[in-house]
């Protein structure tokens, strides 16, 4: 009975991931009534709705992952109480060990299903025409999901990293090409006059780069600044106390806040470093 119950529990969570993902994405495809495969639905999400769809999908996945985390924690606490109250009951101890092992094994499997659903949506979109700030927001959302995965089961979320790498490469190839074309036109038509500057002039003195000063200094080796690592910072780059699973609930998800622009720049620079 225990084995059947555990198998049904895992099937329930797996079904919840697939059904919730389908429902969320379907709601953004202009309410197409025809039954389609999930991958096809992802390709039909309008460009103007994609960011909202990705955030909504991550929120839905967060609710399922949080529920599983709570189930695991309940059994851990229950197991501790049982062992403390009746250390001589071998059958009860064996039962608890079996349940604990099944739940622990289910962590990575559930996270794999979560990654698959989110990655399919992220890869289905053509992000090359998005504004730079919008693209940074997408990276920040996926990065937060990666942080949750590491806390949830210690996963590096390689599938999410691979899809981010692919989309980032496509985006910056087009972005650089477009900027080079603009620069060529500008250089060909502009009248240039030498501008006197101080001997110690630096790019960081320009007002246009003031908001990026910390990031530019860090990667130029001027003044090392610690970049938020996985699980060490919030979506907006600020320091947070406690874990995602103690700070957020299903009604107050980690994807509700808006990323801070400087942190998003740091995030995209870190991604660019491993795609170039």
């Amino acid at each position: 009975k225990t084995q059947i119950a555990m198998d049904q529990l895992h099937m329930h969570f797996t079904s919840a991931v697939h059904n919730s993902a389908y429902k969320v994405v379907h709601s953004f495809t202009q309410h197409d009534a025809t039954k389609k495969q999930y991958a096809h639905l992802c390709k039909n999400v309008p460009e103007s709705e994609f960011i909202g769809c990705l955030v909504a999908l991550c929120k839905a996945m967060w609710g399922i992952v949080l529920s599983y985390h709570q189930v695991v924690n309940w059994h851990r606490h229950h197991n501790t109480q049982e062992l403390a109250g009746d250390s001589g009951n071998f059958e009860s101890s064996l039962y608890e060990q079996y349940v604990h092992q099944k739940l622990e094994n289910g962590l990575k499997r559930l996270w794999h299903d979560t990654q698959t659903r989110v990655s399919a949506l992220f890869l289905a979109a053509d992000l090359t025409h998005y504004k730079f700030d919008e693209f940074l927001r997408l990276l920040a959302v996926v990065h937060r999901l990666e942080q949750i995965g590491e806390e949830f089961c210690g996963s590096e979320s390689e599938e999410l990293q691979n899809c981010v790498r692919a989309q980032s490469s496509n985006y910056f190839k087009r972005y650089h090409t477009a900027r080079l074309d603009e620069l060529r036109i500008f250089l060909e038509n502009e009248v240039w006059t030498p501008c006197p500057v101080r001997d110690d002039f630096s790019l960081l003195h320009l007002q246009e780069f003031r908001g990026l000063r910390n990031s530019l200094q860090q990667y130029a080796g001027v003044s090392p600044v610690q970049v938020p690592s996985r699980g060490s910072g919030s979506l907006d780059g600020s320091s947070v106390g406690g874990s995602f699973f103690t700070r957020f609930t299903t009604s107050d998800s980690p994807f509700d806040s808006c990323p801070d622009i400087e942190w998003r720049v740091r995030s995209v620079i870190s991604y660019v470093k491993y795609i170039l």
Side-chain angles (χ1 to χ4, degrees), residues 55 136-145 147 228 232-240 244 247-248 253-264 267:
V55 172
L136 292 180
R137 185 184 179 192
L138 291 172
L139 292 186
V141 171
V142 176
H143 180 73
R144 164 137 295 186
L145 191 64
Q147 290 178 310
S232 65
S234 66
L235 187 61
D236 60 0
S238 59
S239 177
V240 296
F244 290 113
R247 296 176 54 247
F248 297 97
S253 80
F255 302 96
D256 291 333
S257 57
C258 182
D260 176 79
I261 183 62
E262 182 175 344
W263 183 87
R264 281 184 281 170
S267 176

Side-chain angles (χ1 to χ4, degrees), residues 25 38 42-43 45 50-51 53-54 57-58 115-127 134-143 145-146 159-171 271:
V25 176
Y38 179 75
C42 291
K43 294 179 180 179
V45 176
F50 182 76
I51 295 179
C53 182
L54 179 65
L57 178 60
C58 288
Q115 285 189 81
T116 301
R117 298 293 95 180
V118 176
S119 297
L121 175 64
F122 197 76
L123 286 173
D126 180 7
L127 306 179
E134 293 174 335
F135 185 71
L136 292 180
R137 185 184 179 192
L138 291 172
L139 292 186
V141 171
V142 176
H143 180 73
L145 191 64
E146 292 176 10
E159 190 169 350
L160 289 176
Q161 290 190 40
N162 289 336
C163 74
V164 166
R165 183 182 293 110
Q167 288 286 34
S168 297
S169 178
N170 293 335
Y171 183 86
Y271 279 124

Side-chain angles (χ1 to χ4, degrees), residues 111-229:
W111 187 248
H112 172 73
D113 291 338
T114 300
Q115 285 189 81
T116 301
R117 298 293 95 180
V118 176
S119 297
L121 175 64
F122 197 76
L123 286 173
D126 180 7
L127 306 179
T128 57
H129 299 285
Y130 277 67
K131 295 180 180 179
F132 190 61
D133 191 60
E134 293 174 335
F135 185 71
L136 292 180
R137 185 184 179 192
L138 291 172
L139 292 186
V141 171
V142 176
H143 180 73
R144 164 137 295 186
L145 191 64
E146 292 176 10
Q147 290 178 310
I148 292 173
E150 183 175 26
E151 183 181 333
F152 180 64
C153 62
S155 172
E156 291 293 328
S157 301
E158 292 184 1
E159 190 169 350
L160 289 176
Q161 290 190 40
N162 289 336
C163 74
V164 166
R165 183 182 293 110
Q167 288 286 34
S168 297
S169 178
N170 293 335
Y171 183 86
F172 283 107
K173 284 179 181 178
R174 183 187 181 280
Y175 186 85
H176 290 161
T177 300
R179 298 292 82 77
L180 286 174
D181 289 340
E182 291 181 5
L183 181 61
R184 177 182 57 80
I185 296 174
F186 179 76
L187 292 175
E188 290 176 351
N189 295 278
E190 184 64 39
V191 177
W192 293 90
T193 302
C195 178
V197 295
R198 302 184 318 188
D199 293 337
D200 62 344
F201 174 78
S202 168
L203 179 68
L204 302 178
H205 293 152
L206 296 178
Q207 182 177 358
E208 292 83 351
F209 293 94
R210 183 174 300 173
L212 309 181
R213 183 170 299 173
N214 289 338
S215 298
L216 291 172
Q217 286 178 338
Q218 175 195 353
Y219 289 100
V222 176
S223 177
V225 179
Q226 185 176 1
V227 179
S229 59

